[in-house]
Amino acid sequence: MKLLRLLYHLGIHGLGAGMQIASWFHPKAKLWVEGRRQGLSYLESRRKAGDSWWWFHCASLGEFEQGRNLIEKIKAEHPQLKILLTFYSPSGYEIRKNYPQADAVMYLPLDTSRQVKAFLEMLQPAGVVFVKYELWLNMLQALRERGCPHWLISARVGADSAFLKSPLAALYREAFEGFQQIFVQDLESQRLLSAFAPQAEVQLSADTRFDRVAANRKQFQALPEIVAFVEQKTCLVGGSTWPKGERLIFEAWNRLALAERDDVCLILAPHEIHQDRIQQWIDRFPELSIRYSDIHRLSPAHRILWIDNIGMLSRLYAYADLSYVGGGWGTGLHNILEPAAFGSPVIIGPKHQRFPEAADLIQAGGCFAVKDGESLTRRVKSLLENPDLRQKIRENNLAFVQERTGATAKIYDWLRNEGLFSA
């Protein structure tokens, strides 16, 4: 174990050095490095004597959305508790650094023994919640040694998980067994984790994302500019798109001659905002296209809307008669539950095997995987031309999401019954 810990320490210091070098060239790496420099001084400025802090850690924005309902439930029921929210990545921190339900938001310190010790001595957390994954071994060891209760929620482990096959597997086993409770998304995760770490307390709670997307729909507030853009048109929303998906969407647009129809519109929200790339597409359809930042210039001729900001996407799906969700052509797939929560039929790329919600929604008839531009065109055509089918899918998808809610309440009730909010 000592050798494994030494290897881990060396790896963490190597990560820090590598990010320092990368920060000279890469904007995200620069944010990662600079955001951590003032972490402790920032935290000290937010603390007051007598405060009781609960700390939530999320890798990035997706994990934050999985933990958000629990944060807001705890804050609503126990306003005396202070909430610290940490992120690993800039894509999460930069978007949620002003999240009003948290009393402090900062980057997770680099997982060195020295930085972990300084952080925990300053924070003195009453409870710690890690969302989904990110087992930082020095941090978890320090929490165990301090006797600080910590939990893992919405966890999911597959047979090919790096945790199970890592050369550091013995350390990860110890980390899993140190959690007071692990709440997992599915039975397969419960089975695998229970076998890998027999001393761990593993409980099935389902996926908290269903609670989050259901709350998004329940709390929905209309976007007047989008209402004006869509009017009575049939609307296709492309969410979290990457260049390949955008290319295939416009391939379908051309094949179906949608530019010649005034009853169809397209909203595209890229996963990363690159103004040059957006401009290249606008230049291909100059009369039809407009950016959201120019929405004050909206005219009846505009039927392609580019979202050039971050944070609107979950609300845009309310206007989608059909949706395309990006990321299904490489290693990842973006959130298909957001459009499903509004009843929209969902189209995705072929690489979705690591996402059980995709398999379940496909089986339920609300999601369609395509393999190329031709199959995407056929699917868009069939959904555009069949409003009765879209209505049937809408009803199925609304039920699909609603039937799977409740994970947040289960986790909260367990924490409350353990007497963990009395401080």
Side-chain angles (χ1 to χ4, degrees), residues 110-157:
L110 185 65
D111 196 39
T112 64
S113 298
R114 180 179 63 82
Q115 292 195 41
V116 164
K117 180 180 178 181
F119 171 74
L120 290 179
E121 286 184 352
M122 180 172 292
L123 181 63
Q124 298 290 324
V128 184
V129 178
F130 292 86
V131 182
K132 193 174 182 180
Y133 55 59
E134 286 224 326
L135 303 189
W136 296 103
L137 296 176
N138 285 332
M139 184 68 75
L140 292 171
Q141 181 185 23
L143 290 172
R144 290 195 303 275
E145 291 172 352
R146 289 169 176 267
C148 179
H150 52 290
W151 307 273
L152 180 62
I153 70 167
S154 213
R156 181 177 174 270
V157 175

